[in-house]
Amino acid sequence: MKDYELTLQVMLDRAVSQFGHKEIVSEEADGTTHRYTYDEAADRMAQLANALDELGLEMGSRASVMAINHHRHYELYFGLSCSGRSIHMTNHMLPDEHIVEIVNEAEDEVVFVDPAFVETVENVADQFETVEHYVVLDDEVPETDLEPIQSYEDLLSGHETDYEWPDIDEEREAGICYTSGTTGLPKGVAYTHRNIYLHTLTHSHIDVFKISENDVVMPVVPMYHVNGWGLPYTATLCGSKLVLPGPKTDSEQIAELIDREGVTITAAVPTVWREMASFYDERDDIELESLDRVLTGGSSPPEWLMEKFDKEIGAPIYQGYGMTEAAPNLVNTMTTTEVKEELDESGRYQQQMKPGIPAPGVQIRLRDQSGEEVPHDGESSGEIQARAPWLIDEYYKRPEATAESFTDDGWFKSGDVGTIDEYGYLEVVDRLDDIIKSGGEWISSIELENELMAHDAVEEATVISVEHEKWDERPVAYVVPSTDDVTADELRTHLRERYPKWWMPDKIVFVEQIPKTTTGKFNKKALRDDFDEEYDGLPLEE
Amino acid sequence: MKDYELTLQVMLDRAVSQFGHKEIVSEEADGTTHRYTYDEAADRMAQLANALDELGLEMGSRASVMAINHHRHYELYFGLSCSGRSIHMTNHMLPDEHIVEIVNEAEDEVVFVDPAFVETVENVADQFETVEHYVVLDDEVPETDLEPIQSYEDLLSGHETDYEWPDIDEEREAGICYTSGTTGLPKGVAYTHRNIYLHTLTHSHIDVFKISENDVVMPVVPMYHVNGWGLPYTATLCGSKLVLPGPKTDSEQIAELIDREGVTITAAVPTVWREMASFYDERDDIELESLDRVLTGGSSPPEWLMEKFDKEIGAPIYQGYGMTEAAPNLVNTMTTTEVKEELDESGRYQQQMKPGIPAPGVQIRLRDQSGEEVPHDGESSGEIQARAPWLIDEYYKRPEATAESFTDDGWFKSGDVGTIDEYGYLEVVDRLDDIIKSGGEWISSIELENELMAHDAVEEATVISVEHEKWDERPVAYVVPSTDDVTADELRTHLRERYPKWWMPDKIVFVEQIPKTTTGKFNKKALRDDFDEEYDGLPLEE
Ligand SMILES: Nc1ncnc2c1ncn2[C@@H]1O[C@H](COP(=O)(O)OP(=O)(O)OP(=O)(O)O)[C@@H](O)[C@H]1O
Ligand SMILES: Nc1ncnc2c1ncn2[C@@H]1O[C@H](COP(=O)(O)OP(=O)(O)OP(=O)(O)O)[C@@H](O)[C@H]1O
Ligand SMILES: [Mg+2]
Ligand SMILES: [Mg+2]
């Protein structure tokens, strides 16, 4: 008798044996729509596994996948992991040198790549140290120097649609993903089958995201970043219809897909929903009728946006707080009984704006700079530290980063600053790196930027911390205006309604756009460097 | 850094750190109501753990608990397991010789016992081989010969409300429970922390029983039988308000508790809900307004009952199929998208009558007598075999029963006969032991008895298999009539509307009551013995 291991095989088995007829819809690069079932997907995963055997890819070896969200990418999620290999979800938007570094560090032996990113790979392939095969995720191979190379369809073709999935220990690595690199070099996070299984099971818990077989799930968040927030796995375990938007990621296309496929739940970073909000106002023919709720995370969504989705679109935004290290979810929107009973509508609403309550199994604590526990009063802030059954306990091959990011008693140091209120709700104040330490007090860059973005004349805004001779650090805002005539004074007046004088940005820079990281976050590091270069610190001589 | 183990400590920690203020309501033997919070319960669990240290109870040792559902029992659930001991939930209604056998087999060192069962224990205590202490679950000790003995409150008093819970491996035993003994001697089922954690997490999955922090959970099913179907654990992980009905288990008391405490979900065997259905008709002042759904399992609930709860009471019955070995849940009521889309209301209703769909992580298969897979056509039947992350892989100290009940490839042989339909829904036809093998064909005793119970003049009915010279086996019915004038012919006519002639019971015996097992099931073994004794097999000479 063999122990029952928590593996991706169990998830796939449920989809196939219970919901094999359910649909996976995938938008393709050429504008067509690909439709098939879990049954058919599983057949192709078996073909893939057989093909990888023939390629000589051993259990435990890794393959890099550089692709957007489509059915072949989905097949690689399970075909690689269920056959004992590991999928390295590679962000093709990383700078070349990062791609080289992580593919070499992960010792990827095969690179699966979308036709659209073949050029990206060509530029760096000569620096790859371990890659032995290239596979283009298509039915033909474009003009290229890469070799040996074949198309994914050629790779699969002729192989059996049966495969004897090997016994897999739940502690075996199923995939590896790198952090966004917002605060430095991306760090490798290797997920075991167990990590993913437990994250997935908790994802669909009634007090988390309640993802059901009855849902139609569309991850807009890229599958190369933290497993598309786990949604492809969750849809599989639940047997939900899965919609993969492929290249369709602008508001119009997303909205059309939601309406066409009856999507009930979708997920993306706040920027995507900010765009959708304006688009929704412009277009009368968009219904979003089927949409039940929208997941967001990765950065803090502004309040007006959450209100808009809840009240006008009728699909409340559920926030998740997490990170690559946690696969990613730790904390999520929830209305507790206490909040229901004790607060009025507006109070309840305020609570819903916060990331919320730790998911079952997750432990969260706040520590101040001397390592002391911070009171849960909604005011006092400290570093968010976490434990969870699916949180990694080390970075891949980065002992120094590991030592910095985990406490002696095994808690993960998120690098984020948060508060917990008397109802137990977590709020993210800022990143430790981004928070503005002004004259011994803290100013939240997130609060300021969200308040700026609540102003009608502001399209986007971000606030960074800049060194200051006297106050140590002071806030500087970068604003993309939506009209020509808005002034810095006007925006300061707006901010003063909510924040004290000493919170006011020392400078407001109007720009045409704000640089973003490859996962859609404001790139504050780049802005800080720019500011130093242009103005050489604060105070300014203006 | 320490691995994150899946333990009951994690569950308790969530209740305390996130929902410490939530209430646990407990009805006491003396008619009073005890109310406190998870925080206060946890303090007492810590006191208990300290007291057990002082008693010298080592990690890994077991304590028998013979108690109904009340707050002290709840404290023992966590206080014992979280301190590394194991709770042996002991069914006080077992025959004396069974109690002796299982307490000795489990090597229980302490017996915690309700005042009401002290006499039961006194009768057998001299045969206990390992018990060193008795604790009465009260604040005083009644007149008794048991020794050494003290009251639970004395045991706790004076101890610290802090306890350093030890590091626990998830593979450590958290509790042990014996099967109902319906088919023979009760068999020991030892649950690891991991078993219980995974069962608990899945319990509240959106496609299982959706047990939320917002629910008010009342296990009527006894906590001495399969962990009260896991509900005390699930309420804890979710932080739900928990209502423990103590001695209040008749319809009136249950109904009053539901109304008084705002219970949203409750659970018990079908008999309890059968009684509730008649009671509800008799009494106008019972609202059951808060009740959202009702769980049942352990045997098959009749259709009229499910309809009554759904349509009149407004709280649909959710069925679970499972067993002690599975802690207990494997399969549960669910309406799949396919059923929603393809069937009309009455078809959907029929599906809801079935136990349903395997929970996430559960694998179910049907095997015929030659070990071949049975088609999923809703007609062909076979033995239900299962795998699940929380299913045990052996009986405690019973290698023979283990060898009989597990296949070589690690599946549990349930001893139940079922069908799976084209929608993937499992239905339980009968137990292998109870099904009537008549002339090479099978007759379901469950179907016949549920159809009998659908007749207005029948209060309760059960059908057993009796040896027959010619046909091997034939059905015999035992009926408790609700009026004086109902005849066997009338009942046969009723059965003939749905079933073929050869399904008709050879004899219908009218009785005043039907013997039940200690977990409320019809005791068919006893009836078979009675029948043999009285009539000496079939055919009868009548
Ligand atoms: N709901 C949220 N509200 C505010 N910030 C969030 C939220 N969810 C996630 N974040 C931010 O995103 C971070 C996790 O992002 P991710 O793992 O993609 O990489 P990163 O932290 O941006 O990059 P790196 O770790 O390489 O610097 C969190 O630590 C937090 O700062
Ligand atoms: N929903 C259901 N419908 C029909 N029968 C059920 C259902 N749920 C459980 N059962 C029956 O109850 C059994 C499990 O009961 P339990 O573990 O309490 O002990 P038992 O099987 O009655 O006793 P023993 O194993 O000692 O003979 C199942 O094997 C099945 O026969
Ligand atoms: Mg990070
Ligand atoms: Mg049994």
Side-chain angles (χ1 to χ4, degrees), chain A residues 1 4 13-14 18 170 194 197 204-207 211-214 336-338 340 358 361 363 393 424, chain B residues 1 4 13-14 18 21 170 194 197 204-207 211-214 336-337 340 358 361 363 393 424:
Chain A
M1 244 161 305
Y4 195 99
D13 177 84
R14 185 160 192 268
Q18 215 55 50
E170 65 188 39
R194 173 183 163 110
Y197 188 93
S204 29
H205 188 282
I206 180 85
D207 287 336
I211 295 165
S212 161
E213 188 270 327
N214 295 158
T336 64
T337 308
E338 192 183 16
K340 247 185 216 162
Q363 300 176 323
D393 54 13
Chain B
M1 245 161 305
Y4 195 99
D13 177 83
R14 185 159 191 268
Q18 216 55 50
H21 58 278
E170 65 189 38
R194 173 182 162 111
Y197 188 93
S204 29
H205 188 280
I206 179 86
D207 287 336
I211 296 166
S212 159
E213 187 270 328
N214 295 157
T336 64
T337 309
K340 247 185 217 162
Q363 300 176 324
D393 54 12

Side-chain angles (χ1 to χ4, degrees), chain B residues 179-183 187 225 297-300 319-325 416 428 431 521:
Chain B
T179 62
S180 290
T182 310
T183 58
K187 290 161 284 193
H225 183 52
S299 56
S300 178
Q319 203 176 153
Y321 164 73
M323 62 276 308
T324 312
E325 293 85 341
D416 295 317
V428 181
R431 288 183 185 251
K521 304 177 191 200

Side-chain angles (χ1 to χ4, degrees), chain B residues 25-35 68-72 115-116 137-138 244-249 253 256-257 260-261:
Chain B
V25 181
S26 169
E27 297 300 305
E28 305 296 296
D30 64 6
T32 61
T33 301
H34 180 272
R35 291 174 186 276
I68 56 172
N69 299 6
H70 53 53
H71 72 288
R72 295 186 181 102
L137 294 164
D138 201 352
L244 301 171
K248 298 193 166 169
T249 53
Q253 294 167 326
E256 279 171 6
L257 274 175
R260 193 187 79 199
E261 300 299 332

Side-chain angles (χ1 to χ4, degrees), chain A residues 413-442:
Chain A
K413 293 159 77 176
S414 70
D416 295 317
V417 178
T419 61
I420 295 178
D421 65 24
E422 49 181 319
Y423 300 106
Y425 283 61
L426 177 79
E427 185 158 37
V428 181
V429 173
D430 216 333
R431 289 184 184 250
L432 266 175
D433 280 7
D434 294 337
I435 208 163
I436 300 135
K437 291 133 200 142
S438 172
E441 301 280 346
W442 281 4

